[in-house]
Amino acid sequence: MTYALLAVVVVAACLALAVAASVARGLGPRWWALIAVTAAVLVVLTIVFDSLMIAADLFRYGDGALLGPRVWLTPVEDLAWPVVAALLLPSLWALAAPKENTG
């Protein structure tokens, strides 16, 4: 299995969970906007720090499992994981929170 295929499967599962959490808890556009901003910040941080670690030769990827495109030195496959974190953690938090009593 390539890194890209694994990333697509995990992002799809996390997106499905986020949609389920949004529907179950009645979370609106503001919640999705916060997830998008969080994902964008995490992606930028990932690009910077992954590139610095790759430049310092702290780790290497097997080129056969990569698609090839990179952002700075970061393989595009690595950018899925901050998106996963931005989707998964708020979704789990929303689902784990007790329901509010409005009556």
Side-chain angles (χ1 to χ4, degrees), residues 29-94:
R30 183 174 181 267
W31 187 74
W32 285 103
L34 290 171
I35 286 178
V37 169
T38 301
V41 169
L42 290 175
V43 164
V44 168
L45 290 171
T46 298
I47 291 168
V48 170
F49 288 105
D50 270 17
S51 293
L52 291 173
M53 290 186 291
I54 291 167
D57 204 23
L58 295 177
F59 61 90
R60 296 180 187 157
Y61 291 95
D63 288 333
L66 296 175
L67 290 176
R70 294 176 180 260
V71 179
W72 194 4
L73 297 176
T74 304
V76 292
E77 294 89 345
D78 263 8
L79 302 180
W81 308 117
V83 173
V84 165
L87 287 169
L88 182 62
L89 297 177
S91 301
L92 292 176
W93 185 276

